[in-house]
Amino acid sequence: MFLERLLSSIVLVVVLAAALFLGEGVLFLLCLFLAVAAYWEIIRATRVTEKDKKMNGIEIIGVLGVAGYYGVRFFADTETYVMLTITLTLIGIMFLYVLSFPKYHANQVMAVVFAFIYAPIMLSYIYLTRNLEDGFYLVWLIFISSWICDTCAYLVGMLIGKHKMAPKLSPKKSIEGAVGGVLGAFFVGVLYGYILVHFGFLEQENIWLIGVIAGIGGIISQIGDLAASAIKRNFSIKDYGKLIPGHGGIMDRFDSVMFTAPMIYYLAVLLLNRTLY
């Protein structure tokens, strides 16, 4: 189990690093794949589609909406077209809902809308952050603030964790671990900022800002992790899927990233004055 988890982690990091390095179309296709996979995992987790049934009409509209949203982001990235795509997707889902009533239940409609917004739109901020000015360097903060925070939280919690943070939701997570995770993300962020400044990729005064951004991302990442866990608890499932051996599905591995990606994007825009190019 450990070896399987380790090997899949290595493959995942290599694929992700290559996509982030190449950017543009390669990263776009990877994010689109992750978005569709995560969308389907949420649909299955919330039992909108039973395991022995095919995708139904409103779920298909949701997939088309995901594809349309990413297409607009890639070919015509203006907020007008982005919001138009989201609006048309929601209208399309409701259109089929009322015309075929009572074929679909309101719970199914709400689950599809939630799945469409939760994973695909949040994950798209990986691509958007990469497209910022200096985005090649800033996009790594998404993963520093999520995966480094997760690792540090686990280690600190294992060593000195005593006070439960959310005992009913995640009994193993501690307040000490959460604080350690945020501090770990902050200090690794500062180190990363120092490296960027040392090699001339970033201004000197931004070293501590990079750490602050990573630290804030670390706080948000833990909310993302717990939110995904809460959904699993509500629907009594262990993992969202089996796509990543030893880890589960896309939602299991990228649950915290979905929250840190938009946070890092907006912090980079607001604190570092970076813009899309």
Short mmCIF file of all heavy atoms in Angstrom, two decimals, residues 26-67:
data_model
loop_
_atom_site.label_atom_id
_atom_site.label_comp_id
_atom_site.label_asym_id
_atom_site.label_seq_id
_atom_site.Cartn_x
_atom_site.Cartn_y
_atom_site.Cartn_z
N VAL A 26 -1.20 22.45 -22.64
CA VAL A 26 -0.98 21.25 -21.85
C VAL A 26 -1.63 21.37 -20.48
O VAL A 26 -2.34 20.47 -20.01
CB VAL A 26 0.53 20.95 -21.70
CG1 VAL A 26 0.75 19.75 -20.78
CG2 VAL A 26 1.15 20.70 -23.06
N LEU A 27 -1.39 22.49 -19.81
CA LEU A 27 -1.98 22.72 -18.49
C LEU A 27 -3.49 22.85 -18.59
O LEU A 27 -4.23 22.35 -17.73
CB LEU A 27 -1.39 23.97 -17.85
CG LEU A 27 -1.90 24.30 -16.44
CD1 LEU A 27 -1.63 23.15 -15.47
CD2 LEU A 27 -1.27 25.60 -15.92
N PHE A 28 -3.95 23.49 -19.66
CA PHE A 28 -5.40 23.62 -19.88
C PHE A 28 -6.07 22.25 -19.98
O PHE A 28 -7.09 22.00 -19.33
CB PHE A 28 -5.64 24.41 -21.16
CG PHE A 28 -7.05 24.30 -21.68
CD1 PHE A 28 -8.08 25.03 -21.09
CD2 PHE A 28 -7.35 23.48 -22.76
CE1 PHE A 28 -9.38 24.92 -21.56
CE2 PHE A 28 -8.65 23.37 -23.23
CZ PHE A 28 -9.66 24.09 -22.63
N LEU A 29 -5.48 21.35 -20.76
CA LEU A 29 -6.05 20.01 -20.93
C LEU A 29 -6.01 19.22 -19.63
O LEU A 29 -6.95 18.48 -19.31
CB LEU A 29 -5.31 19.25 -22.03
CG LEU A 29 -5.54 19.78 -23.46
CD1 LEU A 29 -4.65 19.03 -24.45
CD2 LEU A 29 -7.01 19.64 -23.85
N LEU A 30 -4.93 19.37 -18.86
CA LEU A 30 -4.84 18.68 -17.58
C LEU A 30 -5.91 19.18 -16.62
O LEU A 30 -6.60 18.38 -15.95
CB LEU A 30 -3.45 18.86 -16.96
CG LEU A 30 -3.27 18.23 -15.57
CD1 LEU A 30 -3.45 16.71 -15.64
CD2 LEU A 30 -1.91 18.58 -14.99
N CYS A 31 -6.08 20.51 -16.55
CA CYS A 31 -7.09 21.08 -15.65
C CYS A 31 -8.49 20.67 -16.08
O CYS A 31 -9.37 20.40 -15.24
CB CYS A 31 -6.97 22.61 -15.63
SG CYS A 31 -5.53 23.21 -14.72
N LEU A 32 -8.73 20.62 -17.39
CA LEU A 32 -10.03 20.18 -17.90
C LEU A 32 -10.29 18.73 -17.51
O LEU A 32 -11.41 18.39 -17.07
CB LEU A 32 -10.08 20.33 -19.42
CG LEU A 32 -11.36 19.82 -20.11
CD1 LEU A 32 -12.58 20.54 -19.57
CD2 LEU A 32 -11.24 20.00 -21.63
N PHE A 33 -9.29 17.89 -17.64
CA PHE A 33 -9.43 16.48 -17.25
C PHE A 33 -9.73 16.36 -15.75
O PHE A 33 -10.63 15.63 -15.34
CB PHE A 33 -8.16 15.71 -17.59
CG PHE A 33 -8.11 14.33 -16.99
CD1 PHE A 33 -8.84 13.29 -17.55
CD2 PHE A 33 -7.36 14.07 -15.85
CE1 PHE A 33 -8.82 12.02 -16.99
CE2 PHE A 33 -7.31 12.81 -15.29
CZ PHE A 33 -8.06 11.77 -15.86
N LEU A 34 -8.97 17.09 -14.93
CA LEU A 34 -9.18 17.06 -13.49
C LEU A 34 -10.59 17.56 -13.13
O LEU A 34 -11.25 17.00 -12.25
CB LEU A 34 -8.14 17.93 -12.77
CG LEU A 34 -6.68 17.48 -12.85
CD1 LEU A 34 -5.77 18.51 -12.19
CD2 LEU A 34 -6.50 16.11 -12.19
N ALA A 35 -11.03 18.59 -13.84
CA ALA A 35 -12.34 19.19 -13.56
C ALA A 35 -13.47 18.20 -13.86
O ALA A 35 -14.40 18.03 -13.06
CB ALA A 35 -12.52 20.46 -14.38
N VAL A 36 -13.41 17.56 -15.03
CA VAL A 36 -14.45 16.61 -15.42
C VAL A 36 -14.45 15.40 -14.48
O VAL A 36 -15.51 14.93 -14.05
CB VAL A 36 -14.28 16.17 -16.88
CG1 VAL A 36 -15.26 15.04 -17.23
CG2 VAL A 36 -14.49 17.34 -17.82
N ALA A 37 -13.25 14.91 -14.15
CA ALA A 37 -13.13 13.76 -13.25
C ALA A 37 -13.69 14.09 -11.87
O ALA A 37 -14.43 13.30 -11.28
CB ALA A 37 -11.68 13.31 -13.15
N ALA A 38 -13.32 15.27 -11.34
CA ALA A 38 -13.80 15.68 -10.02
C ALA A 38 -15.31 15.90 -10.03
O ALA A 38 -16.02 15.53 -9.07
CB ALA A 38 -13.09 16.95 -9.58
N TYR A 39 -15.82 16.49 -11.10
CA TYR A 39 -17.26 16.69 -11.27
C TYR A 39 -18.00 15.35 -11.18
O TYR A 39 -18.98 15.21 -10.46
CB TYR A 39 -17.53 17.36 -12.61
CG TYR A 39 -18.99 17.35 -13.04
CD1 TYR A 39 -19.88 18.32 -12.60
CD2 TYR A 39 -19.46 16.37 -13.91
CE1 TYR A 39 -21.21 18.31 -13.00
CE2 TYR A 39 -20.79 16.34 -14.31
CZ TYR A 39 -21.66 17.31 -13.86
OH TYR A 39 -22.97 17.29 -14.26
N TRP A 40 -17.51 14.36 -11.90
CA TRP A 40 -18.15 13.06 -11.92
C TRP A 40 -18.04 12.36 -10.56
O TRP A 40 -18.98 11.69 -10.13
CB TRP A 40 -17.53 12.20 -13.02
CG TRP A 40 -18.15 10.83 -13.14
CD1 TRP A 40 -17.54 9.63 -12.97
CD2 TRP A 40 -19.51 10.53 -13.46
NE1 TRP A 40 -18.42 8.60 -13.15
CE2 TRP A 40 -19.65 9.12 -13.46
CE3 TRP A 40 -20.63 11.32 -13.73
CZ2 TRP A 40 -20.86 8.49 -13.72
CZ3 TRP A 40 -21.85 10.68 -14.00
CH2 TRP A 40 -21.94 9.29 -13.99
N GLU A 41 -16.92 12.54 -9.88
CA GLU A 41 -16.76 11.94 -8.55
C GLU A 41 -17.76 12.51 -7.55
O GLU A 41 -18.31 11.77 -6.72
CB GLU A 41 -15.33 12.16 -8.04
CG GLU A 41 -14.30 11.29 -8.74
CD GLU A 41 -12.88 11.60 -8.32
OE1 GLU A 41 -12.70 12.50 -7.48
OE2 GLU A 41 -11.96 10.94 -8.84
N ILE A 42 -18.01 13.81 -7.62
CA ILE A 42 -18.99 14.42 -6.72
C ILE A 42 -20.39 13.93 -7.04
O ILE A 42 -21.19 13.65 -6.15
CB ILE A 42 -18.93 15.96 -6.80
CG1 ILE A 42 -17.56 16.47 -6.35
CG2 ILE A 42 -20.03 16.59 -5.95
CD1 ILE A 42 -17.36 17.94 -6.58
N ILE A 43 -20.68 13.82 -8.35
CA ILE A 43 -21.97 13.31 -8.78
C ILE A 43 -22.21 11.91 -8.21
O ILE A 43 -23.27 11.59 -7.67
CB ILE A 43 -22.06 13.27 -10.32
CG1 ILE A 43 -22.08 14.69 -10.90
CG2 ILE A 43 -23.29 12.48 -10.77
CD1 ILE A 43 -23.28 15.50 -10.53
N ARG A 44 -21.18 11.07 -8.32
CA ARG A 44 -21.31 9.71 -7.81
C ARG A 44 -21.39 9.69 -6.29
O ARG A 44 -22.14 8.91 -5.70
CB ARG A 44 -20.12 8.86 -8.28
CG ARG A 44 -20.04 8.64 -9.78
CD ARG A 44 -21.16 7.76 -10.29
NE ARG A 44 -21.07 6.41 -9.77
CZ ARG A 44 -20.34 5.43 -10.33
NH1 ARG A 44 -19.62 5.67 -11.41
NH2 ARG A 44 -20.33 4.22 -9.80
N ALA A 45 -20.61 10.54 -5.64
CA ALA A 45 -20.59 10.56 -4.17
C ALA A 45 -21.94 10.98 -3.60
O ALA A 45 -22.39 10.44 -2.59
CB ALA A 45 -19.50 11.51 -3.68
N THR A 46 -22.59 11.93 -4.26
CA THR A 46 -23.89 12.42 -3.78
C THR A 46 -25.05 11.58 -4.30
O THR A 46 -26.20 11.93 -4.10
CB THR A 46 -24.09 13.89 -4.18
OG1 THR A 46 -23.91 14.03 -5.60
CG2 THR A 46 -23.10 14.79 -3.48
N ARG A 47 -24.71 10.49 -5.02
CA ARG A 47 -25.69 9.51 -5.48
C ARG A 47 -26.72 10.08 -6.44
O ARG A 47 -27.87 9.65 -6.46
CB ARG A 47 -26.39 8.85 -4.29
CG ARG A 47 -25.42 8.07 -3.41
CD ARG A 47 -26.10 7.57 -2.16
NE ARG A 47 -25.10 6.92 -1.28
CZ ARG A 47 -25.31 6.68 0.00
NH1 ARG A 47 -26.44 7.01 0.57
NH2 ARG A 47 -24.38 6.09 0.73
N VAL A 48 -26.32 11.08 -7.20
CA VAL A 48 -27.21 11.59 -8.25
C VAL A 48 -27.36 10.51 -9.31
O VAL A 48 -28.43 10.29 -9.86
CB VAL A 48 -26.64 12.89 -8.86
CG1 VAL A 48 -27.52 13.35 -10.01
CG2 VAL A 48 -26.55 13.96 -7.80
N THR A 49 -26.25 9.84 -9.60
CA THR A 49 -26.28 8.70 -10.51
C THR A 49 -25.89 7.46 -9.73
O THR A 49 -24.83 7.43 -9.10
CB THR A 49 -25.29 8.90 -11.68
OG1 THR A 49 -25.75 9.99 -12.47
CG2 THR A 49 -25.22 7.66 -12.55
N GLU A 50 -26.71 6.45 -9.74
CA GLU A 50 -26.36 5.20 -9.07
C GLU A 50 -25.27 4.49 -9.87
O GLU A 50 -25.11 4.71 -11.07
CB GLU A 50 -27.59 4.29 -8.96
CG GLU A 50 -28.71 4.87 -8.11
CD GLU A 50 -28.30 5.09 -6.66
OE1 GLU A 50 -27.39 4.38 -6.20
OE2 GLU A 50 -28.87 5.98 -6.01
N LYS A 51 -24.51 3.66 -9.20
CA LYS A 51 -23.35 3.03 -9.82
C LYS A 51 -23.69 2.18 -11.04
O LYS A 51 -22.86 1.98 -11.90
CB LYS A 51 -22.61 2.18 -8.78
CG LYS A 51 -21.94 3.01 -7.69
CD LYS A 51 -21.13 2.15 -6.75
CE LYS A 51 -20.42 3.01 -5.72
NZ LYS A 51 -19.61 2.20 -4.79
N ASP A 52 -24.91 1.67 -11.09
CA ASP A 52 -25.27 0.80 -12.20
C ASP A 52 -26.05 1.53 -13.29
O ASP A 52 -26.62 0.91 -14.18
CB ASP A 52 -26.09 -0.38 -11.69
CG ASP A 52 -27.37 0.07 -10.98
OD1 ASP A 52 -27.44 1.26 -10.59
OD2 ASP A 52 -28.28 -0.76 -10.82
N LYS A 53 -26.06 2.86 -13.22
CA LYS A 53 -26.79 3.64 -14.22
C LYS A 53 -25.86 4.55 -15.00
O LYS A 53 -24.80 4.94 -14.52
CB LYS A 53 -27.89 4.47 -13.54
CG LYS A 53 -29.02 3.64 -12.95
CD LYS A 53 -30.09 4.54 -12.37
CE LYS A 53 -31.25 3.72 -11.78
NZ LYS A 53 -32.30 4.59 -11.23
N LYS A 54 -26.29 4.90 -16.21
CA LYS A 54 -25.51 5.80 -17.04
C LYS A 54 -25.77 7.25 -16.64
O LYS A 54 -26.71 7.55 -15.91
CB LYS A 54 -25.87 5.58 -18.52
CG LYS A 54 -25.51 4.20 -19.06
CD LYS A 54 -25.89 4.08 -20.51
CE LYS A 54 -25.54 2.70 -21.07
NZ LYS A 54 -25.93 2.56 -22.49
N MET A 55 -24.97 8.13 -17.17
CA MET A 55 -25.14 9.56 -16.90
C MET A 55 -26.48 10.03 -17.45
O MET A 55 -26.84 9.71 -18.58
CB MET A 55 -23.98 10.34 -17.54
CG MET A 55 -23.96 11.81 -17.21
SD MET A 55 -22.54 12.67 -17.94
CE MET A 55 -21.21 12.04 -16.92
N ASN A 56 -27.22 10.80 -16.66
CA ASN A 56 -28.52 11.27 -17.12
C ASN A 56 -28.43 12.66 -17.75
O ASN A 56 -27.35 13.25 -17.84
CB ASN A 56 -29.55 11.23 -15.99
CG ASN A 56 -29.19 12.17 -14.84
OD1 ASN A 56 -28.74 13.30 -15.07
ND2 ASN A 56 -29.41 11.73 -13.60
N GLY A 57 -29.59 13.18 -18.14
CA GLY A 57 -29.63 14.42 -18.92
C GLY A 57 -29.05 15.63 -18.23
O GLY A 57 -28.24 16.37 -18.82
N ILE A 58 -29.43 15.88 -16.99
CA ILE A 58 -28.93 17.08 -16.31
C ILE A 58 -27.43 16.96 -16.02
O ILE A 58 -26.72 17.96 -16.01
CB ILE A 58 -29.72 17.39 -15.02
CG1 ILE A 58 -29.71 16.21 -14.06
CG2 ILE A 58 -31.13 17.82 -15.34
CD1 ILE A 58 -30.33 16.54 -12.71
N GLU A 59 -26.97 15.74 -15.81
CA GLU A 59 -25.53 15.53 -15.59
C GLU A 59 -24.74 15.81 -16.87
O GLU A 59 -23.64 16.35 -16.83
CB GLU A 59 -25.28 14.12 -15.10
CG GLU A 59 -25.88 13.85 -13.74
CD GLU A 59 -26.05 12.38 -13.43
OE1 GLU A 59 -25.66 11.55 -14.28
OE2 GLU A 59 -26.56 12.06 -12.36
N ILE A 60 -25.31 15.44 -18.01
CA ILE A 60 -24.67 15.70 -19.30
C ILE A 60 -24.58 17.20 -19.55
O ILE A 60 -23.56 17.71 -20.02
CB ILE A 60 -25.45 15.00 -20.44
CG1 ILE A 60 -25.30 13.49 -20.33
CG2 ILE A 60 -24.95 15.48 -21.81
CD1 ILE A 60 -26.15 12.71 -21.31
N ILE A 61 -25.64 17.93 -19.21
CA ILE A 61 -25.61 19.40 -19.35
C ILE A 61 -24.50 19.97 -18.47
O ILE A 61 -23.79 20.90 -18.86
CB ILE A 61 -26.97 20.01 -18.97
CG1 ILE A 61 -28.03 19.60 -19.98
CG2 ILE A 61 -26.87 21.55 -18.91
CD1 ILE A 61 -29.43 20.07 -19.64
N GLY A 62 -24.34 19.40 -17.27
CA GLY A 62 -23.26 19.84 -16.39
C GLY A 62 -21.89 19.63 -17.01
O GLY A 62 -21.02 20.50 -16.94
N VAL A 63 -21.68 18.47 -17.62
CA VAL A 63 -20.39 18.18 -18.29
C VAL A 63 -20.16 19.16 -19.44
O VAL A 63 -19.06 19.68 -19.63
CB VAL A 63 -20.36 16.73 -18.80
CG1 VAL A 63 -19.14 16.51 -19.69
CG2 VAL A 63 -20.32 15.75 -17.64
N LEU A 64 -21.21 19.39 -20.22
CA LEU A 64 -21.10 20.35 -21.33
C LEU A 64 -20.78 21.75 -20.80
O LEU A 64 -20.02 22.51 -21.42
CB LEU A 64 -22.39 20.37 -22.14
CG LEU A 64 -22.74 19.09 -22.92
CD1 LEU A 64 -24.10 19.22 -23.59
CD2 LEU A 64 -21.66 18.80 -23.96
N GLY A 65 -21.37 22.07 -19.64
CA GLY A 65 -21.07 23.35 -19.01
C GLY A 65 -19.62 23.46 -18.60
O GLY A 65 -18.99 24.51 -18.76
N VAL A 66 -19.07 22.37 -18.04
CA VAL A 66 -17.66 22.36 -17.66
C VAL A 66 -16.78 22.57 -18.89
O VAL A 66 -15.85 23.39 -18.88
CB VAL A 66 -17.29 21.02 -16.98
CG1 VAL A 66 -15.78 20.95 -16.73
CG2 VAL A 66 -18.05 20.87 -15.66
N ALA A 67 -17.08 21.83 -19.97
CA ALA A 67 -16.31 21.96 -21.20
C ALA A 67 -16.42 23.37 -21.77
O ALA A 67 -15.42 23.96 -22.22
CB ALA A 67 -16.78 20.93 -22.23
#
